Amino acid sequence: MSFAGFELTVALPKGRMMASAYRAFAAAGVELPAARGERDLWHGDGKLAVLELRGADVPTYVDLGIADVGVVGRDVLLEAGRNLYEPVDLGFGVCRLSLIRRPDDDAPIRRIASKYPRFTQAWLRRRGQVADVVKLHGNVELAALVGLADAVVDVVQTGSTLRAAGLVEVEVLARSSARLVVNPSALKLKRELIHPLIEKLRQVKIND
Ligand code: PRP
């Protein structure tokens, strides 16, 4: 299987951002092919191919050149540490990466749980602080609740997960929103296609 026959291959994250990404491309004049079924791995219409990926895998597919462009949150890019061209802030998927704790806990932080361990370690280094960072894959707030860690670094969007768990946002470490990312070689080879797309996406305003 190769996507070489397609004019453009687009990597999109499954979940909250997928529908907004479709709307952003449509508003930029690019109708991305729709999914055929729920368990589709990819779909194409002859010209365009869409890969449906876990958000954390979007930078990998774009960096390694399987996809030409992708949509992904800045939070994921901060963790991925890949060198991708990031020309457009698409404006939707606004959230923040925050340090979260139990409200009654002000002891020194010795262990932090996060889906963003590289980002968390880099933040600790910048601060000159030392703590163990434990990688988790989901429901990270639970780690703070049950004492697996003294704090967690996680995404806060509406804040409802935090409120429901009775946890508090101690500090905002980074702000995030959806970004268009582009493979540098694809940008050169498919210039006529990708440059106008970038220009149009810069004009588009999409709310979540
Ligand atoms: C993310 C994040 C928080 C929640 C924050 O989890 O890890 O748990 O969303 O959003 P809120 O502020 O609007 O409540 P996600 O739903 O992606 O699932 P996961 O924890 O399984 O990764």
Side-chain angles (χ1 to χ4, degrees):
M1 173 67 216
S2 157
F3 295 106
F6 290 93
E7 283 180 11
L8 194 73
T9 301
V10 182
L12 296 183
K14 286 192 279 192
R16 297 188 205 204
M17 279 202 286
M18 177 74 86
S20 305
Y22 266 86
R23 285 195 285 133
F25 273 71
V30 177
E31 291 293 343
L32 293 174
R36 287 167 302 221
E38 259 196 24
R39 304 210 67 82
D40 251 4
L41 299 176
W42 71 277
H43 25 277
D45 67 357
K47 278 183 166 184
L48 302 168
V50 170
L51 314 183
E52 291 201 14
L53 305 172
R54 289 288 295 265
D57 293 335
V58 168
T60 313
Y61 274 79
V62 175
D63 191 17
L64 298 181
I66 306 299
D68 301 309
V69 302
V71 173
V72 66
R74 177 171 185 255
D75 57 325
V76 173
L77 291 170
L78 288 170
E79 178 65 15
R82 287 181 181 266
N83 208 6
L84 296 172
Y85 182 46
E86 190 193 314
V88 189
D89 180 348
L90 295 162
F92 57 83
V94 173
C95 62
R96 49 203 191 263
L97 276 175
S98 296
L99 186 73
I100 295 160
R101 300 195 78 179
R102 290 189 301 275
D104 53 353
D105 196 357
D106 55 4
I109 295 174
R110 286 200 288 268
R111 192 188 292 145
I112 302 179
S114 185
K115 283 186 279 188
Y116 302 84
R118 283 167 50 103
F119 169 80
T120 302
Q121 280 292 7
W123 174 74
L124 284 166
R125 271 198 302 278
R126 285 199 299 279
R127 283 285 183 98
Q129 287 179 16
V130 177
D132 285 340
V133 178
V134 181
K135 162 111 191 191
L136 292 179
H137 295 86
N139 282 353
V140 180
E141 291 84 357
L142 186 64
L145 267 188
V146 300
L148 178 100
D150 310 310
V152 303
V153 169
D154 200 20
V155 166
V156 180
Q157 192 167 28
T158 61
S160 57
T161 307
L162 274 187
R163 279 192 294 279
L167 296 168
V168 290
E169 188 177 13
V170 177
E171 187 175 337
V172 176
L173 312 190
R175 298 201 176 267
S176 178
S177 55
R179 305 296 159 99
L180 180 79
V181 287
V182 181
N183 175 279
S185 309
L187 184 64
K188 288 196 197 101
L189 291 169
K190 301 187 176 182
R191 225 189 138 74
E192 289 78 15
L193 212 60
I194 295 177
H195 266 267
L197 176 66
I198 290 171
E199 286 315 314
K200 284 188 208 136
L201 283 173
R202 281 191 175 134
Q203 313 301 319
V204 165
K205 279 270 164 287
I206 295 286
N207 297 315
D208 288 295

